Amino acid sequence: MSGQQELYAIKQELRSIINELESIASGVGHDFEGIGNRGCASAIHEVADHYRSVTDKLSRIDTTKIKEGFPGSSQCTT
């Protein structure tokens, strides 16, 4: 798998996690009244926002400069 493909897979997984967190936060916010549900839902939204930020940063990576393998790995060609 190329670096670009791996990065795409990571971003897809993060988007899936974000969607699941948003769904959980929505459920907590609506289904659990009076037990601190707003604070709990807000905390879950903050985690989703963090992962959204990570996904945005990953999207700005220039994959044309990614070499296959990592330093010290058997695949590294440097």
Side-chain angles (χ1 to χ4, degrees):
M1 185 181 293
S2 74
Q4 186 174 11
Q5 291 169 326
E6 288 182 45
L7 186 58
Y8 178 80
I10 291 168
K11 292 189 299 185
Q12 285 296 102
E13 184 65 24
L14 283 172
R15 286 185 192 108
S16 176
I17 292 168
I18 290 165
N19 290 338
E20 186 66 25
L21 286 169
E22 292 292 347
S23 176
I24 292 168
S26 178
V28 167
H30 292 101
D31 298 339
F32 298 96
E33 295 290 328
I35 59 166
N37 62 316
R38 289 183 184 167
C40 191
S42 176
I44 296 169
H45 280 297
E46 285 179 24
V47 173
D49 288 342
H50 172 75
Y51 285 122
R52 210 173 273 112
S53 172
V54 169
T55 303
D56 291 343
K57 289 176 184 177
L58 289 173
S59 293
R60 291 191 293 268
I61 292 176
D62 183 359
T63 57
T64 62
K65 296 180 181 180
I66 296 176
K67 294 182 181 179
E68 295 303 314
F70 297 96
S73 74
S74 59
Q75 295 177 350
C76 188
T77 60
T78 56

